[in-house]
Amino acid sequence: MVKSFLKRTRETMSSFVVNNVAGESGRKLPQYIAGLAASGGALAAGTFLGWTSPAEIPLVQKQEYGFPISTEDFSWIGSMANLGAALMCFPIGILMKMIGRKWAMLTMVLPLLLGWLLIIFANNVAMLMVGRFFLGIGGGAFCIAAPTYTAEIAQSSIRGTLGTFFQLLVTIGILFVYGVGAAVNVQVLSIICGVIPLVFGLIFFFMPESPHYFIEKNREDDASKSLKWLRGNRYDERAEIEELKAEDAKIREDKITFVQGFKQRATIRALIISLGLMFFQQLSGINAVIFYTTTIFDDANTGLEATAATIIVGVIQVVATLLATFIVDKTGRRILLMISDFFMAVSTILLAVYFQLKEDDASQVANLGWLPVLAVCLFIAMFSIGFGPIPWLMVGELFANNVKAYVSPLAGVFNWLLAFLVTKVFTNLRDALGIAGVFWLFSGLSLLGTVFVFFIVPETKGITLAEIQRMLSGEKVRRSSGHSNPAMEDDEKPETR
């Protein structure tokens, strides 16, 4: 019994005491709590991304708000959030450096609240558009601030897991809106969504600031307190403090200007890859599918209630994103991206064929109501395991630390502007090409994206950040078997044995 007690005591103590050999510390739970709290901002972002799907038919067809909203008006309402998000990509980086990661995120509660208030009390289209714009400002900021915060508070052994929380909470936010939107009217849905930023703010207020920020500001004592909160009171933080100080000193020493950054071959290649991934992510049609899921099912006459089908799609998105968190470090980035884009193309081809048959003769699809359901579910699942999380993950991997502050926001701005374009133009394209023509276009772009990944995108699995920079610079890098990449073969041929 005594031995059993001593064993349990040792096990408990091991969760608090630093293991200097393994480089691990004991307590992980506080880091999970802080990571989940930060990802509450992702939940808020997911609600505004999903809101348009259950809101379109009540607002446009049923005039639930008491004033007319045309399809064209709603395309602007849906897309204004993306414009607001694009606008915040650079300012949020500046804000994080000025007042810290924590307070930058807490500040974003204000535009989120303002946005939802404008939508709740809207009495014209302009109020809805401005409200959506403010939601984009708040939600778009979280897309940069929350992953930065979680990466900086986490130890290396759980950094990947904490990094997946953001995308997972976004999908849960979308599913939440789909589910609630099926049961209540648009105004009540908006009120419920408006409560989420408040809850986030109340919870996140009690979380610690990033120790990286304190080191940047030469506040070593505060960094020490932050690490004690995150790792446990028994944690000896001195070695980690010294490591953070050395990292900060190196970043300051290697600091270069915006123009100098674009003279580096590695930066140019990384920018081409990241912008290409963002281009094909958005031009796959993902936002069109998410924003207009209800409309797609309504047009398809599946026999399944559109709101129920939408909820099914939301569940699939959450499950597939959760799956991606477990397999991305095992299978590699390139293979998941290629599988993802190819099967997204297959999905949009199925949708195009269905709607083409329906346009020619509706009787041809009388017994095919299951086809668009299957196609959209497959599309969402394939997007969520590859082209959903991986482009953002690779942006963090491809750019060197001394250029990341300049170049990473470019990828974010490009992504949100493309999301704005796709969301805004979707209804116009649908009117011009027909819904079948739109999905033929998306399928062609997804096939092109598969080719882009095969020839241009390198595999970064199992390679250090320093080796990625050497590879992008054209230096020879020894790679493990099974991860060859045609785009880098010119750099690697001399290494063939």
Side-chain angles (χ1 to χ4, degrees):
M1 186 171 178
V2 173
K3 287 183 178 179
S4 176
F5 172 78
L6 290 173
K7 182 181 179 183
R8 286 198 303 271
T9 302
R10 282 196 301 271
E11 288 173 348
T12 303
M13 290 298 293
S14 70
S15 69
F16 290 92
V17 181
V18 176
N19 182 335
N20 292 319
V21 177
E24 292 294 330
S25 65
R27 299 198 68 194
K28 303 294 191 300
L29 180 60
Q31 298 169 60
Y32 282 111
I33 292 171
L36 279 171
S39 296
L43 187 68
T47 57
F48 89 75
L49 287 171
W51 179 87
T52 50
S53 186
E56 182 180 17
I57 290 175
L59 293 184
V60 176
Q61 296 181 14
K62 299 178 182 178
Q63 293 191 15
E64 200 173 272
Y65 264 31
F67 56 88
I69 301 173
S70 67
T71 303
E72 176 68 15
D73 290 336
F74 197 80
S75 72
W76 278 105
I77 292 167
S79 57
M80 284 301 289
N82 297 311
L83 207 57
L87 184 69
M88 274 306 293
C89 285
F90 281 101
I92 190 61
I94 297 169
L95 201 60
M96 284 193 296
K97 283 194 170 292
M98 287 176 57
I99 63 174
R101 287 57 157 160
K102 173 182 174 178
W103 284 103
M105 284 193 280
L106 287 174
T107 302
M108 289 303 106
V109 171
L110 297 176
L112 286 171
L113 285 177
L114 179 58
W116 285 118
L117 285 171
L118 284 166
I119 289 172
I120 291 164
F121 297 106
N123 54 29
N124 55 58
V125 171
M127 286 182 71
L128 288 172
M129 288 174 61
V130 175
R132 291 282 297 170
F133 182 79
F134 277 109
L135 290 180
I137 287 176
F142 279 116
C143 291
I144 291 176
T148 300
Y149 176 84
T150 53
E152 290 181 352
I153 65 166
Q155 292 170 277
S156 58
S157 60
I158 60 170
R159 187 173 294 141
T161 303
L162 262 62
T164 61
F165 283 174
F166 185 84
Q167 184 72 17
L168 183 62
L169 267 290
V170 167
T171 61
I172 291 173
I174 293 170
L175 175 60
F176 175 80
V177 170
Y178 287 172
V180 175
V184 300
N185 63 36
V186 175
Q187 190 171 48
V188 173
L189 172 65
S190 301
I191 292 170
I192 294 169
C193 290
V195 172
I196 292 175
L198 280 175
V199 175
F200 160 77
L202 288 172
I203 294 172
F204 194 62
F205 178 81
F206 296 99
M207 297 301 112
E209 177 57 87
S210 162
H212 287 249
Y213 169 74
F214 286 134
I215 293 297
E216 286 174 8
K217 299 297 182 182
N218 296 315
R219 293 165 59 181
E220 191 173 323
D221 288 344
D222 289 326
S224 176
K225 291 175 185 175
S226 177
L227 286 171
K228 287 284 190 185
W229 194 103
L230 292 163
R231 314 284 193 257
N233 286 328
R234 295 179 181 271
Y235 175 69
D236 185 353
E237 79 284 1
R238 288 171 294 182
E240 188 167 354
I241 290 284
E242 290 305 315
E243 186 180 341
L244 290 175
K245 287 166 66 176
E247 182 183 330
D248 183 62
K250 188 175 188 308
I251 290 172
R252 292 174 191 271
E253 183 183 340
D254 295 342
K255 190 174 182 180
I256 59 176
T257 65
F258 184 83
V259 175
Q260 288 172 330
F262 282 93
K263 291 181 179 178
Q264 298 177 345
R265 184 184 182 190
T267 302
I268 294 170
R269 294 180 81 169
L271 188 63
I272 291 170
I273 293 163
S274 60
L275 293 185
L277 289 175
M278 294 305 184
F279 177 84
F280 289 111
Q281 181 197 66
Q282 290 301 328
L283 271 295
S284 68
I286 180 59
N287 271 316
V289 172
I290 288 177
F291 280 36
Y292 299 104
T293 301
T294 303
T295 305
I296 290 170
F297 282 108
D298 191 56
D299 287 349
N301 292 323
T302 59
L304 183 67
E305 189 178 344
T307 51
T310 303
I311 292 170
I312 292 169
V313 168
V315 171
I316 290 170
Q317 189 175 22
V318 172
V319 172
T321 304
L322 188 60
L323 175 65
T325 66
F326 295 109
I327 64 176
V328 68
D329 280 323
K330 293 182 174 64
T331 59
R333 281 66 159 150
R334 287 183 73 243
I335 187 66
L336 282 180
L337 284 169
M338 285 189 286
I339 290 171
S340 171
D341 222 10
F342 177 76
F343 281 101
M344 282 195 294
V346 171
S347 305
T348 45
I349 286 171
L350 291 175
L351 285 169
V353 168
Y354 176 87
F355 284 109
Q356 190 72 60
L357 291 172
K358 186 184 177 188
E359 287 173 12
D360 295 341
D361 182 1
S363 64
Q364 296 183 85
V365 295
N367 297 318
L368 291 177
W370 54 270
L371 184 59
V373 177
L374 173 65
V376 170
C377 291
L378 179 63
F379 181 93
I380 292 292
M382 289 299 102
F383 178 84
S384 299
I385 67 164
F387 257 90
I390 293 177
W392 293 105
L393 169 65
M394 292 195 72
V395 166
E397 293 179 327
L398 292 171
F399 294 111
N401 281 335
N402 60 346
V403 299
K404 196 170 287 187
Y406 300 130
V407 188
S408 293
L410 283 178
V413 170
F414 187 65
N415 184 281
W416 283 110
L417 287 177
L418 283 173
F420 167 77
L421 180 67
V422 172
T423 309
K424 173 64 190 76
V425 172
F426 177 75
T427 51
N428 304 99
L429 284 174
R430 189 173 60 184
D431 293 339
L433 304 176
I435 194 165
V438 173
F439 285 118
W440 281 122
L441 177 63
F442 287 150
S443 63
L445 288 166
S446 291
L447 289 173
L448 188 61
T450 308
V451 175
F452 172 83
V453 172
F454 182 79
F455 286 106
I456 303 296
V457 179
E459 178 56 71
T460 56
K461 171 183 176 276
I463 306 174
T464 67
L465 298 180
E467 287 172 336
I468 291 171
Q469 291 307 304
R470 286 172 49 209
M471 179 177 65
L472 293 172
S473 298
E475 296 181 28
K476 301 163 191 167
V477 177
R478 293 185 184 275
R479 305 174 61 88
S480 58
S481 60
H483 297 296
S484 62
N485 175 47
M488 301 296 169
E489 283 179 358
D490 59 322
D491 300 331
E492 298 173 12
K493 280 178 183 176
E495 288 296 297
T496 304
R497 292 181 290 179

